[in-house]
Amino acid sequence: MNNPLRKRFGEQILLMFGREPKRPEEGDIAPAAQKIHFFKQGNRDFIAEKKHARAHAVKKNTWRNRRWATLITANLLFVLSYWLDVQLLEGSLTASRFVGFHLIDLNSALQVMLAHKHIIVNLLIGTGTILVGWALLGGRTFCSWVCPYHLLAEWAEKLHLWLAEKKLVSDAPIDRRLRVVFWLIFALLALGTGYTVYEAISPTGILSRALIYGPGLALLWVIALLFFEVFFSRRAWCRYACPIGLTYGVVGIVSPLRVKYTLEGCFHEGDCRKVCLVPHVLDTVIKGRAVDTEVPIGPDCTRCGLCVDTCPSGSLKFDVKGLSKLL
């Protein structure tokens, strides 16, 4: 990793904790990337190619469909295992057993240990399995490929965008640093009260339990969140509040699975940022901001694949660090 990418990697971690993206200085951009930025400035052939590609762009939902199928299958496994009593995947997303092997959500395990004020050895095996697994799979991949609230919020987002297009609602962005504040508040509440307070209001846990054991009054909280996201703030919970998302984002810092951006063919039309849950991770696609010819997207990316499906030039693709060089 060269110096521009190393510096950007650090900045992407700060973005995850709420800092706003900023334009890189000229000295922070690799010479090869500077040449491409200069070539694109006012180049008529490039502009004509961009217009042609935009006019003939084919709408794809390849990764979205794969993700929805995976998410629904993962949650159905819990439901079917419980109702058919086959003991394949017992429990819920908070804590479960897969063919007898313990799996414990990282954020839930942290809350439990803070509430009990000591490290619970029995939790370490299940937590370690999840930690290694999601570190390999991308950290926040959990959000978009497994979390049931993500799917409902994605559908609510479509309604929000339709209403916004009709000028019936407008998005009210919130300071992204609020997610860090929420994470600290719930950690301190667990430490101070001895109870895992967050688990009582986590839409992920509420929905997972409702799917398996049946609906309860807690679903009213989930409905209230979705109402807020449709009429007031687009994807508010996932963007500005969810402690689970931040925990898995930290896990994703070391993940080899990421979306990689290639500068040369990019038209900088910005469609990828319009569909992205966390558009701050795609600041590098803005004209003049890529620090190298190939730039991995940061750890706050949920690897949902919407940007990959949307990109008309194929400049955003899934990549496994180190593996692409071997193939």
Side-chain angles (χ1 to χ4, degrees), residues 68-317:
W68 283 7
T70 304
L71 191 153
I72 291 168
T73 302
N75 284 278
L76 269 180
L77 277 177
F78 282 105
V79 177
L80 294 176
S81 294
Y82 176 75
W83 286 103
L84 300 179
D85 195 22
V86 294
Q87 298 180 351
L88 174 65
L89 188 58
E90 302 169 90
S92 66
L93 281 176
T94 304
S96 58
R97 284 198 310 173
F98 180 63
V99 289
F101 202 78
H102 288 278
L103 302 171
I104 302 170
D105 167 62
L106 297 177
N107 199 70
S108 301
L110 181 63
Q111 292 272 319
V112 169
M113 285 191 266
L114 286 172
H116 286 79
K117 301 179 182 57
H118 71 272
I119 295 175
I120 302 172
V121 177
N122 289 342
L123 290 182
L124 290 181
I125 297 175
T127 308
T129 307
I130 291 291
L131 176 66
V132 172
W134 287 112
L136 291 173
L137 292 172
R140 287 205 73 186
T141 313
F142 169 84
C143 301
S144 59
W145 289 74
V146 174
C147 175
Y149 182 76
H150 188 283
L151 185 59
L152 293 185
E154 197 170 342
W155 293 340
E157 183 181 27
K158 291 184 181 299
L159 179 56
H160 170 89
L161 292 174
W162 182 79
L163 292 172
E165 190 178 334
K166 303 291 181 185
K167 300 190 184 305
L168 296 173
V169 302
S170 60
D171 184 28
I174 302 171
D175 194 321
R176 289 190 298 104
R177 289 174 293 186
L178 189 63
R179 190 173 56 162
V180 179
V181 174
F182 273 123
W183 194 98
L184 290 172
I185 286 173
F186 286 116
L188 290 172
L189 280 173
L191 193 62
T193 65
Y195 292 98
T196 55
V197 179
Y198 174 69
E199 292 306 316
I201 67 158
S202 165
T204 305
I206 291 171
L207 280 171
S208 181
R209 291 189 292 272
L211 285 169
I212 300 163
Y213 309 117
L217 286 176
L219 279 180
L220 293 175
W221 165 243
V222 177
I223 293 170
L225 285 176
L226 292 171
F227 182 87
F228 183 78
E229 294 186 0
V230 169
F231 294 102
F232 297 100
S233 186
R234 178 183 175 186
R235 300 302 297 268
W237 182 261
C238 301
R239 283 183 177 176
Y240 312 117
C242 184
I244 295 176
L246 183 58
T247 300
Y248 281 92
V250 171
V251 172
I253 290 174
V254 297
S255 177
L257 178 63
R258 67 266 176 99
V259 173
K260 189 169 72 175
Y261 170 69
T262 303
L263 170 63
E264 188 168 9
C266 178
F267 296 142
H268 308 286
E269 81 294 329
D271 287 357
C272 53
R273 301 185 79 244
K274 292 175 186 171
V275 299
C276 183
L277 166 65
V278 281
H280 55 275
V281 303
L282 289 172
D283 69 298
T284 194
V285 309
I286 298 173
K287 199 170 184 178
R289 291 202 179 188
V291 298
D292 207 341
T293 54
E294 292 186 343
V295 182
I297 303 304
D300 210 17
C301 169
T302 66
R303 281 79 163 171
C304 71
L306 287 178
C307 63
V308 178
D309 279 342
T310 302
C311 181
S313 61
S315 298
L316 289 161
K317 292 180 179 176

Side-chain angles (χ1 to χ4, degrees), residues 19-41:
R19 201 179 83 168
E20 290 303 312
K22 61 180 183 180
R23 191 182 187 89
E25 302 291 336
E26 189 174 333
D28 296 331
I29 301 176
Q34 288 188 30
K35 284 183 181 177
I36 296 175
H37 287 312
F38 181 77
F39 169 78
K40 290 182 177 180
Q41 290 175 358

